[in-house]
Structure formats: C-alpha cells, structure tokens
Amino acid sequence: MTVEADFIELEEGGERIMRFSGRLTIARIGDVPQRLSELPYSPARIDISNVERVDTVGAWVVHKLARDHGAQIVGASDHADRLLRQVSIADDPAKSFDEDEGRLHRIIARIGASTLEALSGLKGLLAFFGGLLIATASVIRHPGRMRFNAVVQRFETVGVSALGIIGLMSFLIGIVIAQQGAVQLRQFGAEVFTINLIGRITTRELGVLMTAIMVAGRSGSAFAAQIGSMKLAEEVDAMRTIGVPPMQALVLPRVLATTLLMPLLGFYSTFLMIVGGGLLCWIGLGIPPETFILRLREVVPMTDLWVGLIKAPVFGMIIGLTGCYQGMQVRGNNEEVGNRTTTAVVQAIFLVIVLDAFFAVFFSSVGWG
Amino acid sequence: MSDEPIISIRGLRNSFGDNVVHENLDLDVRQGEILGVVGGSGTGKSVLLRSIIGLQEPDTGEISIFGERIDCATAEENLDLRRRWGVLFQNGALFSTLTVAENVQVPLREFYKNIDEDLLCEIATFKIVMSGLKAEDAPKYPSELSGGMRKRAALARSLALDPLLLFLDEPTAGLDPIGAAAFDNLILELKEALGLTIFLITHDLDTLHTICDRVAVLADRKVIACAPIEELLALDHPWIQEYFNGPRGRAALAAG
C-alpha cells in the first residue's frame, strides 16, 4: 500500500464510489485536493476504510468533498470519525478573507489615504505643539511639577553622549569643505578665500544644520521608539491614570533637552568644523593657524554666529516635537513603532530644512546677509 | 499506543548565574494525558517549558521527546520534532503584523511549501473556527481582538500542523471565569478529538480539577510530586497543602 494519498473511482450496484487510500495527512496529501476540485462526476459514496492515517487536513478534504457532492462517507475509523465531526463543526460558510479590489482602485485609494494622512499629520503636530505649550505653562505656574531629573538625564543622552560622533563628523566636514573649496578657488588664484568659505558657511549654515540632522537621527528616532514602545505596553495609559500627564513627564523633558542642547551642540560642531578646515589650510595650503584666525576674525561678522545660534533652538524643538509626537501616535503593533520612528526622522529633517530656507530669506532681508 | 512516555526529563539542571532554578529534576509526560504543572512564582515553570521546547539550553540533564534526545538531535531532526508539537505562549505571541488567518498559515507555509493557496485559506479558517472563533475573525489583526480571542487565535496557530503534543503556558490566565471554563472545555474537546497529549502550566485551580489527568508540583527546584489531584491532596507537604487546601483550593474542589 502506498503512503501517498490517492483515490480511485468504482461502480458498485449502479453507484459511483470513491475509494481513498494512503495517508490523508497534510504531509502526504499531494495533489489530491486539486484533482478533487476538477472532478467531472459526483460520487454517491466516499469510502475511506483503506486510509492508513488521517489528520484534520485530510478530514477537511473528505468533508468538503462530501458536502459539495452530497455524498455519504463510509468506512471511517473511530479516530477519523471524530476528526470528521470536529471539522464539520468548524465548517463556517462565512467569508473569511477580504476580497481584492481592482488595481487602479487600490492605487487611487492609497494616494488619497496618504494625502489625508500627511495633512492630518501636520495638523496633529500643530495640536501637539499646542498641548506642549499648555503643559509648559502649567509647569511655569507650578514649578514643583518640573521633572529636573528627567531633563538632566535627557541632557546626557541627547548632548553628552553625542559629543563624540558630532565632533568627528564636524571635523571631517570641515576638512572636506576646505579641501573642495581650495581646489575650486585655486583656479582663480584665490586660495585665501577658502577661509571666508569655511568661516561663513559653517557658522551660518552647516554647523547647526548638520548637527540637527545628526540629532534627529540619534535622538528624534530614539524618542519615537521609546515613547512608541511605552504606548504599546500601555505604560503611557498607566501614567495618565496615576495622574502623571505624559506631556509633562515624557514630552516636555525631551523637547526641552533638544531645544536647549541644540545651540550648544551646534556651536561645538561649528567650532570643530573650523578646526578641521583650519588644519587643512595649514597642511594643504600652508596658511599658518595665526593667519587663519586673524583672517577669520576679519571676514566672519558676529551676526553670522547669531544667525546659526538663533536657528539652533528652533531646530531642536522641531526634532524633539516630531520625535515625541510620532511616538505618541503609535498604536496597534510593533511594526508601527518602526514606521513611526522612520517618519519622525524624515519629518524632522524635512521640517528643519524647510525652516532653514525661511530663515535664510528672513536674515538676508533684515540685513544679516 | 505504547506506555513509553512522550516527554521524559532526567536530572535537569537550569541556572541563571548563581540562581539555580532546577536541580536534578525528573518528569514524565505520558501518551494522551493532560499534565498540569503548578508551582509558586519563580519556581521555574516557564523555564521548564522553555527547556523542553528548546528555547533554553539546560546546564545538564536529558530531555527526550517522542523517544528522541533533543540535545543530541541534529538541526534536521530538531525541525522534524518541531512540526510535531504546538506551543501556546502565555500572551499568545501572535505575530502582530499578520492577520489571524496569516498567523495560522505561518507554520503551514513553513513546513509544507506546495499546498495551494485555496486549501491554505480553508485550513486556516477551519482551524480558527475549531478554536472557538468565527470565520469573520480570520482577517482581523491581533490588536483588534480581545484577550480571550487572542488566546484562541494563538491556539489555532499552535494546532496548525496537527501536533501530537501541545504545550500551553497559562492558557486561562487573564480570562473571565466563564471564558476560562469555555477554554478548558475546548482544550478537553480538542484533546479527545485530535488525540493530543497536553503539557499545561497553570495557576487556575478549576482548570487543574476539571481537565488535568495528573498534576506535577514544582518546588524546591524539582518536581516534588506528580500524581492525580486526589493523591496530591493526601500528601503532607506544606506548599501542596496550602495550595490545594487553601480557601481557593477548597472552593475549586467543591465545584469540581
């Protein structure tokens, strides 16, 4: 006797009989279900007395055949009989899978859904900002509610631990700017203007902007993931019921940390970019450090530094805000934490760059160009 | 059916750092029985389960399932063992990004790659209905289900491959008494119909009384007794006496 499931058809007393053999189990069922679905005739009886072994899948296949053709099942062993009864109880005709819509319909629906989502995301962010302001106001009125420990802890994770990577990045970017600038300016014999380039672009733009991108990637994502996981584990709900507003306990310390630390990190980054640029000028162009510093003081107006440092806290707030906001939006499953973390970083960097453009226009129109 | 135990554990020792959880633990699970495992918090019930199903490597000791030593099994044999048992984790451990039906299909797809899509859907649906959910629940995500429904969905997944052996980790924890009783009945029914052997960790005294053939008591780092509940009641061990003859234990006994 073969072990693979199989069936043959017989005629007996004018009735069509289907006789199964082998093992009617998921491992051995092979192409039997397919062949059964293409059956050209209707059996009156199904004989399973030759079946070696049967499991729920086999029982289901037999049950379905009997149901679809109104056939009678004969020769079932005790065990098979129990299984058949079990699967017939479990036979629920209700639709259990969503039907597929047309492809065009799906594409349009998806475009619509993501547009709505983007709009409601921005609106939600604005509402979240409002909520944060209210929380801030209440903390100002009751300074006892300020969670200094939480803020200081965030200072460490957002600021101190980031010093190494931001420093290294800034130093290298300084070298790259100086090197690329020198190559271009050499064509005009204006190598000395490399110092103008380094001094102005780092203080006005790159120092703060690169730091913002780094902080968004390091801390904005961490905020979203931390708060998101807390949401999933109902920790945020638990906080609310205990009477600790999550806005005050979770969001405010984080946003405060990024807002206050961005100017410091931005300044630090600018400084190291200049150091990197200066080093390249010294080694590559033969400009000694004293000359570099002297020249820097001549060409970089103080307003350039202000331009950079005024932008920094705004960027910091945006990063902290989007991180916490996306974290608070997590609901449902773990994949959502990942999606929201990604969104937090993308949204933060996008908003920072958009705002940077506005700042550039603004500062040049007030004469700080 | 042979008298050979389905699971046989000899001299098991588990420890985490200095904390020894099991020492010289012996336990047999017989064919076709429902074995309840009880013990105070921290006595290593879940660790025992994890060692049996291979998620925790014991320090020493032999564990055989279906007569095969799991610590000596090759990766291939291990995989083959895995398809013969199902595990229901304490919180269901459903994959949160898949629907209930897809969750049930995961083991089927993994082990039987050439089953056609229609049959897969049918199998998933009847397993789900068999576990006491409705077919309409199949396209739902785990986050849309209540705690009890999630347990049933997880049960459907653990039954996907028609296992001979089922591990249940506190199946009725967090269910209301009516839901818990219904779940007990479901387990008993499925055990009869599918010929399962069940290894059950529970704190639910009603479950112990209504469905367990034998109860193993974990204490002092080993199984101190493994017997039908009536025999346990006669034993003179302080923890057993407190557990089964405490107020809750007596109430469950009166009800059972």
Side-chain angles (χ1 to χ4, degrees), chain A residues 55-56 60 64 82 96, chain B residues 97 122 125-127 162 192:
Chain A
D55 69 357
T56 54
W60 171 258
K64 202 174 66 150
R82 273 203 302 272
S96 61
Chain B
T97 50
E122 284 171 17
T125 309
F126 84 68
K127 299 268 173 178
D162 271 39
E192 295 297 330

Side-chain angles (χ1 to χ4, degrees), chain B residues 139-162:
Chain B
K140 288 184 185 161
Y141 284 91
S143 56
E144 302 171 65
L145 302 179
S146 70
M149 289 163 84
R150 224 173 289 167
K151 286 258 161 86
R152 287 170 187 269
L155 182 67
R157 186 180 70 185
S158 62
L159 290 173
L161 294 175
D162 271 39

Side-chain angles (χ1 to χ4, degrees), chain A residues 135-156:
Chain A
T136 314
S138 102
V139 167
I140 291 172
R141 263 186 286 123
H142 310 279
R145 291 196 194 147
M146 185 68 206
R147 280 151 227 276
F148 285 103
N149 284 345
V151 177
V152 171
Q153 201 192 346
R154 291 301 142 201
F155 276 7
E156 190 186 338

Side-chain angles (χ1 to χ4, degrees), chain A residues 26-27 33-34 55-57 60-61 64 79 82-83 86-87 89-92 94-98 332-335, chain B residues 96-97 101 105 108 112 115-116 119 121-123 125-127 129-130 135-136 138-139 143 162 190 192-194:
Chain A
I26 185 168
Q34 205 139 20
D55 69 357
T56 54
V57 173
W60 171 258
V61 169
K64 202 174 66 150
H79 176 64
R82 273 203 302 272
L83 286 180
Q86 194 68 37
V87 295
I89 296 169
D91 190 1
D92 184 336
K95 190 176 60 142
S96 61
F97 288 87
D98 292 333
N333 58 45
N334 299 331
E335 197 172 283
Chain B
S96 59
T97 50
Q105 289 170 357
L108 292 168
Y112 305 105
I115 298 183
D116 71 37
L119 185 63
C121 289
E122 284 171 17
I123 295 175
T125 309
F126 84 68
K127 299 268 173 178
V129 178
M130 211 156 90
E136 296 101 87
S143 56
D162 271 39
L190 290 174
E192 295 297 330
L194 308 177

Side-chain angles (χ1 to χ4, degrees), chain B residues 35-254:
Chain B
L35 178 81
V37 176
V38 298
S41 293
T43 49
K45 301 183 294 294
S46 291
V47 177
L48 177 61
L49 171 66
R50 290 172 65 85
S51 345
I52 298 174
I53 58 181
L55 294 176
Q56 154 96 30
E57 194 147 328
D59 300 348
T60 53
E62 288 175 21
I63 301 175
S64 315
I65 304 181
F66 304 115
E68 286 174 49
R69 286 277 299 274
I70 56 164
D71 45 331
C72 309
T74 61
E76 199 70 16
E77 288 167 340
N78 240 319
L79 211 61
D80 197 54
L81 271 176
R82 266 159 216 280
R83 90 171 74 174
R84 291 198 270 168
W85 75 54
V87 185
L88 170 63
F89 287 95
Q90 196 166 347
N91 295 316
L94 289 167
F95 303 120
S96 59
T97 50
L98 304 179
T99 63
V100 173
E102 287 166 340
N103 260 289
V104 176
Q105 289 170 357
V106 168
L108 292 168
R109 283 182 201 276
E110 194 56 38
F111 285 109
Y112 305 105
K113 299 212 184 326
N114 45 9
I115 298 183
D116 71 37
E117 211 50 39
D118 290 339
L119 185 63
L120 261 181
C121 289
E122 284 171 17
I123 295 175
T125 309
F126 84 68
K127 299 268 173 178
I128 288 164
V129 178
M130 211 156 90
S131 308
L133 293 172
K134 297 203 179 63
E136 296 101 87
D137 299 325
K140 288 184 185 161
Y141 284 91
S143 56
E144 302 171 65
L145 302 179
S146 70
M149 289 163 84
R150 224 173 289 167
K151 286 258 161 86
R152 287 170 187 269
L155 182 67
R157 186 180 70 185
S158 62
L159 290 173
L161 294 175
D162 271 39
L164 299 168
L165 178 59
L166 192 60
F167 295 96
L168 307 175
D169 192 354
E170 303 213 13
T172 53
L175 299 186
D176 66 278
I178 301 171
F183 205 90
D184 285 347
N185 281 334
L186 176 69
I187 291 171
L188 207 55
E189 236 170 67
L190 290 174
K191 181 221 155 192
E192 295 297 330
L194 308 177
L196 298 167
T197 303
I198 296 176
F199 179 97
L200 170 95
I201 294 177
T202 189
H203 274 305
D204 191 329
L205 287 155
D206 293 313
T207 305
L208 291 174
H209 279 289
T210 42
I211 68 171
C212 290
D213 298 310
R214 289 193 307 152
V215 174
V217 181
L218 276 183
D220 312 328
R221 298 174 185 167
K222 58 182 77 170
V223 176
I224 53 168
C226 183
I229 218 160
E230 303 82 53
E231 289 175 33
L232 287 183
L233 289 172
L235 288 180
D236 189 29
H237 186 278
W239 192 85
I240 296 178
Q241 283 305 320
E242 204 178 331
Y243 191 80
F244 290 103
N245 283 335
R248 283 157 173 271
R250 278 202 303 276
L253 184 62

Side-chain angles (χ1 to χ4, degrees), chain A residues 210-232:
Chain A
M210 296 311 289
T211 309
I213 290 172
M214 194 51 111
V215 171
R218 259 187 104 259
S219 304
S221 59
F223 293 171
Q226 286 159 358
I227 297 180
S229 320
M230 290 179 76
K231 275 281 290 210
L232 278 190

Side-chain angles (χ1 to χ4, degrees), chain A residues 247-262:
Chain A
M247 245 345 174
Q248 275 178 29
L250 294 176
V251 179
L252 192 58
R254 287 177 167 79
V255 176
L256 208 58
T258 48
T259 310
L260 293 181
L261 283 174
M262 259 305 291

